[in-house]
Amino acid sequence: MFRVRVFAGGALALVVLVVLARAGCSADWGCTDTTTKRGEAGVKVRVEDVYGQLRGAGAEVVDWRLELHPQEPSGGDLVHFHFRFDGAGEFNGPALDVCAVDKERVALGCGTVYSSQAFGPNGDTTGDDWLAVEHPSEVAGVLLIPNDQSYQGRTCGEDAKDGGGPHPPKPAARGDQL
């Protein structure tokens, strides 16, 4: 009699598992997209992945100044800045948003810098880039946003079966409060 109960109980558990598995395959149990909360912008930041975890790499704005771009001097003053990535790979490293900000930390102009831009021929990990802003005289600093923008996984809209999950925050733009 004991064997019959064990067999019946095991069969019932197997039926429940099969029903649940089939329901999971046939039902759209929710491919969900989540956007990472934007991290605290700074002159020196630790790189965060889409889960908010530190990636072991850091970046900093080394210096900046307003000047004419040598290839387009008629364009007026641009923000020319130097940045450094530490602990990042040359080919598979992070990408960070960077913004020129006013004294209230409102973004005047933004872009993205990649760690691969910071690998020079002599092993130097410093790179430079330019930001265009409407009113250069209002620039009070250049800040990096710590969220790694290099991972752009598929969204549910692109692939409901395999997409979803965490994504970097929307890139910083002019007018954002940092």
Side-chain angles (χ1 to χ4, degrees):
M1 188 140 130
F2 179 73
R3 287 183 183 168
V4 172
R5 284 185 188 160
V6 170
F7 177 73
L12 179 61
L14 182 60
V15 168
V16 168
L17 287 174
V18 169
V19 169
L20 288 174
R22 284 192 174 172
C25 291
S26 64
D28 185 10
W29 273 20
C31 176
T32 57
D33 287 315
T34 57
T35 302
T36 304
K37 183 180 176 188
R38 185 179 288 162
E40 178 74 26
V43 172
K44 186 173 186 174
V45 298
R46 301 299 302 162
V47 179
E48 298 175 12
D49 65 15
V50 292
Y51 298 99
Q53 303 295 314
L54 297 178
R55 285 199 47 188
E60 69 178 302
V61 175
V62 178
D63 66 13
W64 68 272
R65 63 188 165 278
L66 296 174
E67 63 184 10
L68 299 175
H69 193 287
Q71 294 173 336
E72 296 180 33
S74 63
D77 280 340
L78 299 176
V79 179
H80 185 202
F81 64 97
H82 288 85
F83 58 93
R84 177 178 25 253
F85 275 91
D86 293 312
E90 181 174 0
F91 300 109
N92 62 350
L96 300 180
D97 286 338
V98 59
C99 296
V101 297
D102 65 13
K103 63 182 178 183
E104 305 294 325
R105 293 176 60 112
V106 173
L108 302 173
C110 297
T112 302
V113 291
Y114 296 83
S115 61
S116 60
Q117 291 174 264
F119 282 85
N122 300 324
D124 186 16
T125 59
T126 303
D128 73 309
D129 209 342
W130 301 79
L131 292 171
V133 295
E134 193 171 329
H135 303 288
S137 63
E138 294 180 9
V139 176
V142 177
L143 301 177
L144 292 163
I145 300 171
N147 307 94
D148 184 1
Q149 294 286 341
S150 65
Y151 173 74
Q152 301 289 339
R154 291 182 296 223
T155 64
C156 293
E158 295 166 339
D159 188 346
K161 181 179 174 232
D162 298 324
H167 300 281
K170 187 174 116 183
R174 183 181 305 168
D176 287 355
Q177 177 71 49
L178 303 179

